């Protein structure tokens, strides 16, 4: 690499949930579309070492990378926008920082010294940021700081930015995302909260270079000038970020506002070509002009917080576009379904997805939903726990194994068709100990899985402790549920299908983590296609 990597920090003020992740991903997309190699990192101020131990209600979905890191869901946005895999290095929490520093202290690395927030914690933070720059893979590293400036927990991160800006004034840029609220009573946009949040950042010694302002209404040039004056930024560096119909439109809105140009000029990077966004724009056009529409039910127990299934919902958007179809997701609580009401709750759907999950709550509703899909020939897609439930349902209702279950839910079941992975039997700690990350899977030719992927070996990401119990495999296959994808090392069943059904596919892995705008996931695409056919009354079962 010729020049030193550049570091862009994205901080947030005024309010949480302003969409720092989407702004970071959009800026990265624009720089990538101009030919720069970019990666995005998220620093999270909480004390958990990773979000793997968090209930989805706390923090939404836990996203998993190829290298098996359990990470913040924003990394999903980064991959969906950039189409480049992330890794553990792209997500660091306060807990991980402190864990490393304390382990070093115990080893004696700081022998004789008092270990303090400054410089030891801030040095470790800076190390984690520069680590991505030092790989030589990236020209630009965008680091998003979780939380809001002024939070006690994020202070060491802000201090690390101050130090890096001091050490590398030409290579560091700070983009501050704020809110410009509209007061309907007076009919005005208000800039005061932004002024205060920029001042707070200044108190910590950090000057914002670019302001990105979330707003429901247009920011007039006059308002932009006013904010520039009060906040110490150039007028051209006050960027309006209006609410968009889709997150995938935000890169184009940011291009119109010239966020990429402002950033490149400030970092002294050349502006050689216009962003190449042809494919992105085609995607957006198809997204906004669907030819058809299907209703698909997402059955899960965390539906009150839609972020719990973020990657699944995005996977449907990508797969919908690939089928020129708008997928209308119906969020159905698994606890609301039972054998008696399944046809009322699920009637009229063109497809049913049963979501991943942990623990007993809602499990019988998932099983009832699967029975309905199997018996009525409604396209079915089960992910992880959803696949395991499909196995349990088949055991109970087709193989007559009364009381069949997963040992996760019922340790005493007479038919443990889903059982703990051998490697999990010695595990005592909960954090980071599941079967995590990408593993190979061999597909059988002539199956729906093979038809969708179009190749024999695939790599998919995992996050589970339980697996299909191979002692029962022969019984299942004789009755029509076959294992069509197998992990070649351990023989673990990764995919099950029912051949006689229009579309009945359960996967032990999480395909949703790998679906991107440029590469919609083949199983999502195949499932949506089956749903479109189901709506039209065409069966796809005969094809394979
Ligand atoms: N609870 C199941 C297991 O641990 C499924 C996990 C999941 O759905 N991610 O195997």
């Amino acid at each position: 690499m010729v020049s030193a990597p550049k570091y862009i920090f994205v901080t947030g003020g005024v309010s949480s949930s302003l969409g720092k992740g989407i702004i970071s991903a959009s800026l990265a997309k624009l720089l990538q579309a101009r030919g720069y190699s970019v990666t995005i990192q998220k620093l999270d101020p909480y004390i958990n070492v990773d979000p793997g131990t968090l209930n989805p209600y706390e923090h939404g979905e836990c996203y998993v990378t190829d290298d098996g890191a359990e990470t913040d869901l924003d990394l999903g946005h980064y991959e969906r926008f950039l189409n480049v895999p992330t890794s553990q290095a792209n997500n660091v929490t306060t807990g991980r920082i402190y864990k490393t520093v304390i382990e070093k202290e115990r080893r004696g690395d700081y022998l004789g010294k008092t270990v303090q927030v400054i410089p030891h914690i801030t040095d470790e933070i800076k190390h984690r940021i520069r680590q991505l720059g030092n790989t030589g893979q990236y020209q630009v590293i965008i680091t998003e700081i979780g939380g809001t400036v002024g939070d006690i927990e994020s202070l060491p991160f802000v201090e690390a930015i101050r130090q890096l800006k001091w050490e590398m004034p030409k290579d560091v840029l700070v983009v501050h995302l704020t809110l410009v609220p509209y007061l309907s009573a007076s009919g005005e946009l208000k800039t005061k909260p932004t002024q205060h949040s920029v001042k707070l950042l200044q108190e910590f010694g950090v000057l914002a270079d670019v302001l990105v302002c979330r707003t429901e209404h247009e920011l007039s040039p006059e308002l932009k000038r006013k904010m520039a004056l009060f906040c110490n930024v150039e007028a051209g560096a006050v960027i309006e970020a209006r609410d968009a119909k889709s997150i995938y439109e935000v890169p184009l809105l940011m291009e119109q506002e010239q966020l990429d140009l402002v950033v490149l000029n400030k970092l002294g990077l050349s502006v050689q070509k216009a962003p190449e966004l042809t494919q992105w724009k085609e995607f957006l056009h198809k997204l906004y002009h669907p030819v058809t529409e299907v209703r698909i039910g997402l059955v899960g127990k965390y539906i009150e917080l839609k972020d719990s299934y973020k990657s699944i919902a995005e996977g449907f958007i990508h797969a919908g576009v690939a089928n020129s179809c708008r997928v209308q997701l119906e969020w159905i609580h698994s606890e609301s379904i039972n054998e008696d009401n399944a046809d009322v709750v699920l009637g009229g759907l063109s497809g049913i997805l049963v979501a991943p999950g942990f623990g007993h709550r809602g499990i019988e509703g998932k099983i009832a939903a699967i029975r309905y899909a199997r018996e009525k020939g409604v396209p079915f897609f089960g992910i992880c726990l959803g696949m395991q439930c499909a196995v349990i349902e088949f055991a109970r209702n087709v193989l007559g194994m009364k009381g069949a279950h997963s040992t996760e839910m019922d340790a005493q079941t007479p038919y443990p068709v889903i059982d703990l992975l051998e490697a999990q039997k010695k595990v005592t700690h909960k954090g980071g100990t599941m079967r995590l990350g990408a593993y190979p899977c061999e597909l059988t030719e002539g199956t729906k899985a093979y038809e969708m992927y179009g190749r024999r070996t695939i790599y998919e990401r995992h996050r589970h402790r339980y697996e299909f119990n191979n002692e029962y495999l022969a019984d299942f296959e004789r009755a029509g549920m076959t294992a069509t994808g197998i992990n070649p090392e351990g023989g673990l069943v990764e995919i099950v299908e029912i051949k006689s059904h229009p579309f009945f596919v359960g996967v032990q892995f999480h395909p949703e983590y790998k679906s991107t705008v440029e590469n919609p996931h083949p199983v999502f695409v195949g499932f949506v296609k089956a749903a479109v056919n189901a709506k039209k009354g065409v069966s796809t079962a005969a094809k394979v």
Side-chain angles (χ1 to χ4, degrees):
M1 187 134 314
V2 204
S3 58
K6 305 285 186 185
Y7 297 90
I8 300 172
F9 293 95
V10 179
T11 58
V14 180
S15 162
S16 58
S17 303
L18 289 183
K20 284 194 300 283
I22 301 300
I23 292 294
S24 303
S26 299
L27 172 58
K29 184 75 218 168
L30 291 176
L31 298 180
Q32 184 194 52
R34 284 181 180 275
Y36 286 98
S37 54
V38 194
T39 192
I40 320 175
Q41 178 185 44
K42 173 96 190 268
L43 300 183
D44 276 308
Y46 51 75
I47 317 275
N48 303 63
V49 172
D50 60 46
T53 50
L54 292 175
N55 185 314
Y57 289 126
E58 290 279 323
H59 215 67
E61 162 191 285
C62 172
Y63 185 77
V64 178
T65 55
D66 278 335
D67 65 346
E70 296 181 285
T71 73
D72 186 76
L73 58 75
D74 273 333
L75 271 79
H77 291 309
Y78 307 162
E79 290 202 14
R80 290 187 281 271
F81 276 59
L82 295 183
N83 200 33
V84 176
T86 53
S87 71
Q88 178 66 73
N90 295 77
N91 191 200
V92 182
T93 67
T94 293
R96 191 170 292 274
I97 299 282
Y98 269 82
K99 186 168 180 277
T100 310
V101 170
I102 290 168
E103 278 165 4
K104 279 190 190 167
E105 188 276 333
R106 291 288 82 185
R107 263 202 321 265
D109 290 7
Y110 309 113
L111 221 51
K113 288 265 177 278
T114 309
V115 181
Q116 297 181 294
V117 173
I118 306 170
H120 301 98
I121 294 296
T122 48
D123 277 355
E124 184 59 32
I125 295 173
K126 288 194 293 180
H127 168 71
R128 301 282 182 151
I129 295 164
R130 285 180 191 246
Q131 210 172 24
L132 281 171
N134 293 342
T135 59
Q137 271 176 274
Y138 310 109
Q139 293 162 292
V140 182
I141 291 98
I142 299 180
T143 299
E144 176 193 346
I145 312 291
T148 308
V149 168
D151 298 347
I152 290 177
E153 337 187 90
S154 59
L155 286 177
F157 293 113
V158 177
E159 168 61 13
I161 300 177
R162 186 195 68 75
Q163 293 178 20
L164 284 171
K165 230 185 163 192
W166 179 252
E167 290 162 21
M168 307 183 285
K170 289 193 165 41
D171 297 330
V172 172
L173 189 89
V174 175
V175 176
H176 189 59
L177 179 62
T178 88
L179 175 70
V180 179
Y182 179 76
L183 292 193
S184 48
S186 59
E188 277 177 306
L189 285 165
K190 289 297 187 187
T191 65
K192 197 70 88 187
T194 297
Q195 293 176 39
H196 281 302
S197 117
V198 171
K199 284 233 166 63
L200 193 57
L201 202 52
Q202 285 171 1
E203 275 175 34
F204 301 129
V206 176
L207 280 179
D209 299 291
V210 179
L211 282 185
V212 176
C213 307
R214 280 298 302 273
T215 169
E216 287 169 26
H217 298 273
E218 192 189 330
L219 293 181
S220 65
E222 192 192 333
L223 218 55
K224 283 186 172 179
R225 271 198 300 278
K226 182 177 169 189
M227 275 193 280
L229 179 68
F230 279 101
C231 299
N232 237 2
V233 299
E234 286 167 26
V238 179
I239 306 288
E240 171 189 303
R242 288 277 285 278
D243 296 350
K245 236 170 42 185
S246 157
I247 54 169
Y248 299 113
E249 197 183 326
V250 179
L252 303 184
L253 296 179
M254 291 301 102
E255 187 194 12
Q256 276 165 25
E257 283 285 304
Q258 304 195 329
L259 174 63
D260 51 338
L261 283 180
V262 171
V263 163
L264 289 172
N265 286 331
K266 284 192 178 294
L267 284 171
L269 292 172
S270 63
V271 181
Q272 279 156 353
K273 56 175 195 131
E276 164 49 38
L277 290 164
T278 318
Q279 202 188 339
W280 194 270
K281 286 179 184 163
E282 271 169 23
F283 171 87
L284 212 60
H285 181 80
K286 285 178 91 176
L287 178 67
Y288 287 162
H289 301 92
V291 177
T292 177
E293 181 175 317
V294 286
R295 283 174 60 227
I296 289 180
L298 189 161
V299 178
K301 68 171 168 179
Y302 306 115
I303 57 157
E304 298 88 343
L305 183 68
K306 298 212 165 40
D307 272 359
S308 307
Y309 303 112
K310 192 80 208 164
S311 293
I312 293 177
E314 297 303 319
F316 276 121
I317 292 175
H318 310 153
V321 167
N323 282 287
S324 301
C325 167
R326 190 175 99 83
V327 176
Q328 158 127 32
L329 272 190
E330 303 290 341
W331 302 75
I332 302 167
H333 204 297
S334 46
E335 285 179 298
S336 73
I337 312 170
N338 56 50
E339 295 265 325
D340 301 327
N341 70 6
D343 46 353
V344 179
V345 181
L346 305 168
L349 294 172
S350 300
I352 295 172
L353 178 136
V354 176
F358 295 84
H360 194 273
R361 188 169 67 90
I363 205 86
E364 294 303 327
K366 287 184 171 178
I367 293 170
I370 295 166
R371 178 174 201 171
Y372 173 87
R374 183 178 56 76
E375 291 181 347
K376 301 279 187 240
V378 179
F380 164 77
F381 182 11
I383 299 182
C384 208
L385 183 62
M387 171 267 199
Q388 297 175 354
C389 288
V391 170
I392 297 165
E393 190 280 322
F394 197 85
R396 288 185 189 175
N397 301 321
V398 179
L399 296 171
M401 297 177 176
K402 201 163 174 284
H405 223 317
S406 162
T407 51
E408 178 183 3
M409 325 299 165
D410 177 5
Q412 308 306 325
T413 169
Y415 302 103
V417 288
I418 303 290
D419 201 4
L420 197 60
L421 283 152
E422 195 52 43
Q424 288 288 322
K425 294 193 174 148
K426 303 175 287 291
V427 170
T428 50
H429 284 41
K430 290 271 184 274
T433 55
M434 283 189 241
R435 178 172 183 252
L436 289 167
Y439 286 90
C441 168
E442 296 288 332
L443 306 182
T444 315
E445 283 181 40
T447 61
K448 190 142 259 148
Y450 188 85
E451 179 192 313
M452 290 188 289
Y453 281 95
R455 58 177 184 275
R456 252 190 88 75
T457 309
I458 57 162
Y459 290 83
E460 292 284 3
R461 301 180 192 173
H462 299 73
R463 183 170 188 253
H464 64 121
R465 295 188 201 278
Y466 293 82
E467 62 170 330
F468 185 100
N469 184 344
N470 273 324
E471 279 182 28
Y472 295 96
L473 185 57
D475 294 333
F476 276 79
E477 298 213 314
R478 260 194 305 274
M481 179 178 272
T482 46
T484 60
I486 303 274
N487 171 259
E489 287 143 31
L492 188 149
V493 173
E494 298 277 18
I495 308 178
V496 294
E497 291 181 30
I498 297 178
K499 201 172 177 171
S500 58
H501 188 282
F503 188 102
F504 193 101
V505 178
V507 295
Q508 181 57 76
F509 46 80
H510 289 264
E512 69 273 24
Y513 296 144
K514 283 184 74 169
S515 184
T516 70
V517 166
E518 275 168 56
N519 271 325
H521 195 283
V523 182
F524 276 85
V525 175
F527 177 54
V528 172
K529 188 172 160 201
V532 172
N533 285 335
K535 193 180 163 195
K536 283 195 274 192
V538 185
S539 165
T540 50
K543 275 182 79 184
V544 288

